[in-house]
Amino acid sequence: MVLPNFLVIGAARAGTTALAAFLGRHPEVFIPVKEPNYFSGWLSRKPFDGPQGKNVRPEFRCGTIEQYSRLFEGSRGFKARGEASVSYLPDVDAPALIQQTIPDVRLFAILRQPAERAFAHFHLQRFNRLEPVADFLKALEQERRGLRLNWMPSLRYVESGRYSVQLRRYRALFPTEQLKVFLTDDWRRRPHWVWRQILETLGVDEGFMPDFSERHAVTRVESRAWWVLLHTRPTWPVVPKRLRRVLGAALRSWWLKDASLSPELREELTKSYFRDDILQLQGLLGCDLHDWLS
């Protein structure tokens, strides 16, 4: 049975999509697919209520170790083989199952300022038509009042940003050197530094450098016009391919807008929901997170 020797465990909307894409291009790294979610059991073994509850079916993702192992059958000859599932960081059961299954695995986490992360995640779920509430603050209030207790965890935005709680579960089971934690701020400002540390940990060629200017998984604000375009997809083949490409780029720039969190709301959310956890995280990681608090 072939299993991974590294995992990118989260956090969602923190830069994991870009990291997985770049690692997948490295000639010595094998990544079969993003988000198989085996160790969390999301979309396979764990049932949820709420808007996404009906979509939880075993055939969607890897529910068994046999299904999971088959993903890595083509990895022989690669120095590093792994996957990225952001559900592993917030999931309560994932750390223990990982430790039991692949105890020597290398773990990587990227953490984003939690108010920013929650805002970006909310808009992603709205854009994907999975979040039923149009108002971000109302969704957070529902979560605070316990109205989303057994909803899909990806619709519980505050809980997903409590990093100190999540990392302590891993620290209790894995040696410190097996878990590398980075900040989205560093991944954005000095990607070469983060990248070299990851490659060094994996023991692969550190000379391979991707184009870090590429943008991945950009947070977009939902648009009715954009969804009209998507639902007319069956008619696209009648449009010449070159014209389709030009029109698609133009329509994306007109109808898709980046979601932006104001400094005032960021500060308010941080104080209301995340301040205590950020202070705990500072001590846990031994780093200064003053920028996250201000």
Side-chain angles (χ1 to χ4, degrees), residues 11-57:
R13 312 307 295 163
T16 57
T17 297
L19 176 58
F22 295 149
L23 284 172
R25 296 174 194 170
H26 194 292
E28 296 176 332
V29 179
F30 181 89
I31 293 186
V33 64
K34 191 173 185 287
E35 312 288 355
N37 296 312
Y38 168 69
F39 291 105
S40 65
W42 294 9
L43 301 177
S44 60
R45 302 183 302 276
K46 290 185 178 177
F48 297 106
D49 300 325
Q52 288 180 284
K54 295 180 181 179
N55 291 331
V56 180
R57 299 208 304 268

Side-chain angles (χ1 to χ4, degrees), residues 1 11 25 28 32 39 45 74 102 139-140 159 180 182 188 217 220 235 242 273:
M1 186 174 291
R25 296 174 194 170
E28 296 176 332
F39 291 105
R45 302 183 302 276
I102 41 177
L140 297 187
E159 180 183 316
K180 298 286 187 182
F182 303 99
R188 287 171 174 169
R220 303 294 195 183
T235 66
R242 182 175 296 180
Y273 293 102

Side-chain angles (χ1 to χ4, degrees), residues 200-215:
E200 181 182 7
T201 301
L202 294 177
V204 297
D205 179 17
E206 297 177 39
F208 178 83
M209 286 289 163
D211 180 4
F212 293 115
S213 66
E214 289 183 17
R215 300 185 74 192

